[in-house]
């Protein structure tokens, strides 16, 4: 089969949500529809318990499970679907952001009781950065949620995206009767089922049909009014607008009851993009090119303590990847071949002979890879846009065992390469700061340093508010800034200069004092301008 037809068969996406909205439940139901799992409960373990004090065994288990379920492949209606898992715990948000660079679209789950939550907004910001197409699933309609029109308004306002309902709830909570499919014009009556994989739809050509009243009783009038309003207020669904990330089709349902999901899956198959090109420092790479290329977006330490090897997750961006063929590691300028690349199906990891654009493969790594690394068939380009985001918590690393300095150095280096946290190094002296989005990472780092590197450290909290990458056209101002703020300027993992602002106020004053300097909260803007090194 040609590369083009392999591409046309594939869809690679992620499900994202604020914790507890129902991402894991929806994932499981989609796998059930796709035949990748037979029973509910198989994916359920894949999250760290949401307790305040973390249970390390649970983290270890999570790391193990998440390698196996990081990419779940299944077939649906002759399409090969790659569903990339994203960690549910907010402290691992950065892992989620990186995973989003490897997908072509997302399904965003919203809890109808809670509406748009903080993590939802941040995830959408990341989607907007590369115009990722978004489908919204409003979940938990069996609970007393907010008015659906209010929810749509909130989505548009807080997520800055136009919406178009594709299905519509009939009642909500105690009065929830089912959903009306605005595209296929049928009614799916609500019944609770955890395992059912097909629904019985009742076709309704005309909403004034008396059958509607028989089926829905008092809710029928409301449905008629709602549908009239929807057609008057919302623009028709346009695939182009969806594909460019401007318009989100919205579905309503109840994941735990396996309800309203099939409608979404049908439309997902129709609408969602096939693997798209990716931007490199030498322009966009067409996925249908003959030559293979791909990038590493995630690195996972193997949980087997007897083996130090790691698994690098690579998204194939163009051409055909083949086992045992030499490829170029662009950053290291060396050739590497892979004798046991794996694909990740929901059930187990399996050896693969080849892979195509949109696929994610696992490469055993003995320390060659960093997140963001590019592999090619000889070309010298590098994929762009694997962002580092400003951490929220900063701590200085204190070595608790001076005899193990080397181990500590190596451990910190490797763990931050894996993306567990960000490392910032003082330009003078030897101070190291770790930046994370959550407290949990510090515990994970301490635990892993001890168990995997035999090193121990403690952390000294630092009062920093944001890490800011900076750019400027004004050389003179830049030099003065670097000189006067030298105590607060550190190096990131790629040796870019980063300003650590202590408070929002300090950042504002700094901006006022240095108007020609632009401060950025992610390293993503590399695409437009050059970072200061
Ligand atoms: P997450 O991955 O986004 O964090 O959410 P997850 O799927 O774990 O769902 C969070 C909770 O919401 C779970 O309950 C789940 O059963 C429940 N849930 C998911 N979909 C629906 C729905 O449509 N209606 C209702 N009423 N609840 C739903 P839990 O108590 O945390 O876990 P469990 O004991 O049920 O497994």
């Amino acid at each position: 089969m040609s590369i083009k037809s392999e591409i046309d068969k594939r869809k690679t996406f992620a499900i994202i949500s604020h914790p507890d909205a129902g991402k894991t439940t929806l994932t499981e139901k989609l796998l059930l529809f796709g035949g990748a799992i037979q029973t509910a409960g198989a994916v359920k373990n894949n999250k760290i318990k949401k307790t305040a004090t973390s249970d390390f065994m649970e983290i270890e288990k999570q790391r193990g499970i998440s390698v196996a379920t990081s990419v779940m492949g299944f077939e649906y209606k002759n399409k090969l679907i790659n569903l990339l898992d994203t960690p549910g715990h907010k402290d691992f948000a950065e892992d989620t952001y990186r995973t989003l660079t490897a997908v072509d679209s997302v399904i965003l789950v919203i809890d109808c009781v809670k509406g748009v939550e903080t993590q939802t907004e941040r995830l959408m910001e990341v989607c907007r950065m590369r115009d990722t197409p978004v489908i919204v699933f409003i979940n938990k309609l069996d609970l007393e949620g907010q008015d659906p029109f209010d929810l749509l308004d909130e989505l548009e306002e807080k997520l800055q995206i136009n919406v178009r309902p594709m299905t519509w709830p009939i009642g909500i909570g105690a009065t929830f009767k089912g959903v009306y499919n605005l595209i296929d014009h049928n009614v799916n009556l609500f019944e609770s089922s955890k395992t059912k994989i097909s629904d019985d739809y009742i076709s309704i050509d005309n909403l004034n049909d008396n059958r509607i009243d028989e089926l829905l009783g008092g809710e029928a009038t409301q449905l008629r009014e709602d549908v009239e309003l929807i057609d008057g207020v919302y623009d028709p669904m346009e695939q182009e607008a969806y594909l460019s990330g401007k318009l989100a089709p919205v579905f309503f349902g109840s994941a735990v009851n396996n309800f309203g999901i099939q409608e979404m899956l049908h439309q997902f198959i129709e609408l969602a993009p096939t693997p798209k090109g990716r931007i490199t420092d030498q322009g966009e790479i067409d996925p249908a090119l003959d030559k293979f290329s791909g990038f590493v977006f995630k690195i996972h330490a193997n949980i087997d303590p007897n083996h130090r090897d790691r698994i690098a997750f690579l998204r194939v961006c163009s051409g055909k990847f083949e086992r045992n063929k030499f490829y170029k590691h662009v950053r290291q300028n060396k050739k590497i071949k892979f004798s046991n690349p794996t694909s990740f199906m929901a059930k187990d990891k399996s050896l693969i002979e080849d892979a195509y654009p949109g696929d994610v493969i696992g490469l055993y790594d003995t320390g060659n890879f960093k997140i963001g690394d590019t592999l090619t068939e000889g070309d010298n380009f590098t994929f762009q846009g694997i962002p580092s985001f400003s951490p929220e918590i900063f701590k200085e690393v204190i070595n608790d065992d001076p005899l193990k300095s080397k181990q500590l150095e190596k451990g910190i280096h490797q763990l931050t390469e894996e993306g567990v946290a960000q490392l910032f190094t003082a330009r003078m002296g030897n101070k190291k700061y770790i930046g994370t989005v959550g407290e949990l990472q510090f515990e994970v780092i301490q635990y892993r340093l001890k168990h995997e590197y035999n090193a121990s450290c403690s952390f000294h909290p630092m009062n920093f508010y944001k890490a800011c990458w900076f750019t400027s056209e004004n050389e003179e101002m830049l030099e003065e800034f670097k000189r006067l703020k030298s105590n607060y300027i550190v190096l990131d993992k790629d040796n870019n200069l980063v300003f650590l602002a202590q408070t929002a106020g300090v950042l504002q004053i700094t901006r006022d004092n240095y108007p020609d300097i632009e401060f950025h909260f992610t390293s993503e803007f590399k695409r437009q301008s050059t970072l200061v090194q």
Side-chain angles (χ1 to χ4, degrees):
M1 227 193 285
S2 70
I3 291 183
K4 178 84 179 61
S5 50
E6 291 287 352
I7 292 171
D8 288 343
K9 266 171 54 181
R10 285 167 165 77
K11 302 204 181 251
T12 301
F13 78 107
I15 303 181
I16 53 177
S17 76
H18 189 92
D20 262 349
K23 179 180 76 70
T24 315
T25 314
L26 182 63
T27 302
E28 187 168 280
K29 303 302 175 186
L30 289 177
L31 295 180
L32 210 57
F33 278 110
I37 55 168
Q38 268 69 46
T39 48
V43 190
K44 201 67 210 169
N45 296 331
N46 187 19
K47 58 177 179 179
I48 295 176
K49 289 265 171 289
K50 296 152 192 158
T51 47
T53 52
S54 51
D55 171 346
F56 291 121
M57 284 320 290
E58 201 54 45
I59 293 172
E60 287 298 287
K61 217 164 81 197
Q62 150 86 10
R63 289 175 50 219
I65 295 163
S66 71
V67 169
T69 58
S70 275
V71 185
M72 291 160 274
F74 61 95
E75 245 187 278
Y76 189 77
K77 299 209 177 239
N78 294 326
K79 298 282 179 204
L80 289 174
I81 319 268
N82 291 311
L83 165 52
L84 273 56
D85 189 37
T86 55
H89 201 291
K90 76 161 180 36
D91 284 8
F92 292 90
E94 195 155 348
D95 206 358
T96 300
Y97 301 154
R98 281 191 296 262
T99 300
L100 292 182
T101 63
V103 301
D104 300 297
S105 70
V106 301
I107 291 179
L108 172 64
V109 187
I110 304 277
D111 179 333
C112 73
V113 180
K114 297 190 176 140
V116 173
E117 298 172 84
T118 43
Q119 193 57 19
T120 328
E121 288 185 62
R122 302 184 66 180
L123 288 163
M124 257 312 283
E125 265 171 44
V126 180
C127 291
R128 266 202 307 275
M129 284 166 86
R130 48 182 69 70
D131 302 323
T132 308
V134 179
I135 287 178
V136 176
F137 184 77
I138 299 189
N139 191 26
K140 306 196 186 183
L141 267 286
D142 56 317
L143 301 180
E144 301 300 326
Q146 301 175 34
D147 176 84
F149 283 109
D150 289 348
L151 281 168
L152 294 182
D153 284 351
E154 193 185 355
L155 285 172
E156 292 205 319
E157 198 178 301
K158 289 197 177 157
L159 303 183
Q160 295 166 43
I161 189 163
N162 294 327
V163 296
R164 167 71 215 190
M166 306 289 276
T167 59
W168 194 252
I170 305 164
I172 195 161
T175 61
F176 183 51
K177 289 257 170 48
V179 290
Y180 176 66
N181 190 326
L182 293 154
I183 309 298
D184 296 340
H185 305 288
N186 58 36
V187 170
N188 184 4
L189 288 180
F190 178 63
E191 64 176 293
S192 161
S193 163
K194 305 244 184 299
T195 52
K196 202 171 68 151
I197 55 168
S198 73
D199 285 315
D200 304 318
Y201 300 109
I202 301 161
S203 286
I204 305 288
D205 292 332
N206 181 351
L207 272 180
N208 291 322
D209 194 325
N210 286 343
R211 268 191 317 150
I212 289 268
D213 300 276
E214 286 162 30
L215 287 171
L216 306 177
E219 299 293 334
T221 314
Q222 185 68 47
L223 176 65
R224 289 187 186 109
E225 282 173 20
D226 285 354
V227 171
E228 206 180 315
L229 192 59
I230 291 164
D231 289 339
V233 170
Y234 296 99
D235 292 337
M237 176 61 206
E238 265 185 38
Q239 191 177 11
E240 269 317 302
Y242 157 70
L243 290 176
S244 59
K246 305 269 180 302
L247 179 73
V250 180
F251 295 82
F252 292 84
S254 168
V256 79
N257 291 300
N258 215 1
F259 189 81
I261 296 174
Q262 199 166 0
E263 287 89 339
M264 179 176 69
L265 194 52
H266 279 175
Q267 285 298 323
F268 172 82
I269 292 291
E270 295 291 318
L271 296 172
T274 53
K276 290 189 284 192
R278 286 284 184 285
I279 307 285
T280 75
D281 54 355
Q282 290 173 27
E284 187 168 336
I285 296 297
D286 180 352
L289 287 178
D290 281 342
K291 283 186 176 171
F292 158 77
S293 66
F295 67 88
V296 172
F297 64 94
K298 174 172 173 148
I299 293 176
H300 221 297
N302 204 327
I303 46 155
D304 181 351
N306 298 320
H307 296 95
R308 265 304 161 67
D309 54 355
R310 309 188 292 178
I311 295 177
F313 289 72
L314 177 130
R315 154 136 182 161
V316 179
C317 295
S318 68
K320 176 180 175 182
F321 171 91
E322 288 174 76
R323 185 164 88 95
N324 277 331
K325 191 167 170 180
F326 275 99
Y327 292 116
K328 181 171 184 171
H329 185 308
V330 177
R331 182 176 55 82
Q332 292 191 338
N333 192 21
K334 72 176 183 191
K335 298 220 154 175
I336 318 184
K337 69 172 178 174
F338 303 92
S339 51
N340 50 1
T342 51
S343 74
F344 304 89
M345 300 309 260
K347 272 169 284 182
D348 47 20
K349 283 188 300 199
S350 52
L351 199 71
I352 49 145
E353 292 299 326
D354 47 38
Y356 293 90
D359 287 344
V360 171
I361 53 177
L363 304 174
Y364 282 96
D365 172 37
T366 46
N368 281 316
F369 288 118
K370 266 192 197 180
I371 283 172
D373 278 348
T374 300
L375 276 188
T376 68
E377 219 168 306
D379 293 309
N380 260 331
F381 58 76
T382 303
F383 286 97
Q384 306 274 288
I386 312 280
S388 294
F389 292 83
S390 173
E392 286 165 19
I393 307 173
F394 299 84
K395 295 188 183 183
E396 187 187 338
V397 183
I398 314 284
N399 185 358
D400 286 345
D401 184 351
L403 294 175
K404 299 275 165 56
S405 303
K406 274 220 168 92
Q407 284 89 332
L408 180 68
E409 184 97 6
K410 184 174 173 200
I412 293 273
H413 198 70
Q414 290 200 348
L415 292 181
T416 48
E417 267 183 8
E418 235 184 76
V420 176
Q422 288 182 56
L423 177 65
F424 300 101
T425 318
R427 288 186 299 164
M428 307 242 223
N430 197 23
K431 283 198 171 166
K432 287 188 169 37
Y433 305 106
I434 299 274
T436 69
V437 285
E439 282 291 344
L440 194 52
Q441 271 102 330
F442 291 101
E443 297 177 41
V444 172
I445 291 170
Q446 255 171 344
Y447 178 84
R448 290 189 57 190
L449 281 173
K450 189 143 205 67
H451 288 81
E452 293 170 33
Y453 299 91
N454 198 18
S456 56
C457 74
S458 46
F459 295 107
H460 178 67
M462 301 299 296
N463 261 340
F464 293 127
Y465 155 73
K466 277 249 160 38
C468 316
W469 287 264
F470 51 94
T471 47
S472 179
E473 303 274 301
N474 184 337
E475 285 294 330
E476 209 175 308
M477 188 177 283
L478 199 57
E479 282 314 310
E480 185 192 307
F481 173 71
K482 278 159 58 178
R483 190 164 43 82
L484 292 179
K485 294 284 181 188
S486 65
N487 285 346
Y488 298 97
I489 295 178
V490 292
L491 297 167
D492 76 359
K493 65 176 177 11
D494 299 320
N495 280 335
N496 298 309
L497 293 181
V498 176
F499 171 59
L500 298 177
Q502 296 125 295
T503 61
V506 167
L507 181 59
Q508 191 51 53
I509 293 170
T510 312
R511 278 183 154 146
D512 293 345
N513 290 345
Y514 300 94
D516 289 352
I517 298 184
E518 270 187 81
F519 295 92
H520 314 270
F521 302 133
T522 85
S523 58
E524 168 90 329
F525 58 91
K526 266 183 198 175
R527 273 198 254 170
Q528 291 98 39
S529 49
T530 314
L531 283 161
V532 181
Q533 288 203 321

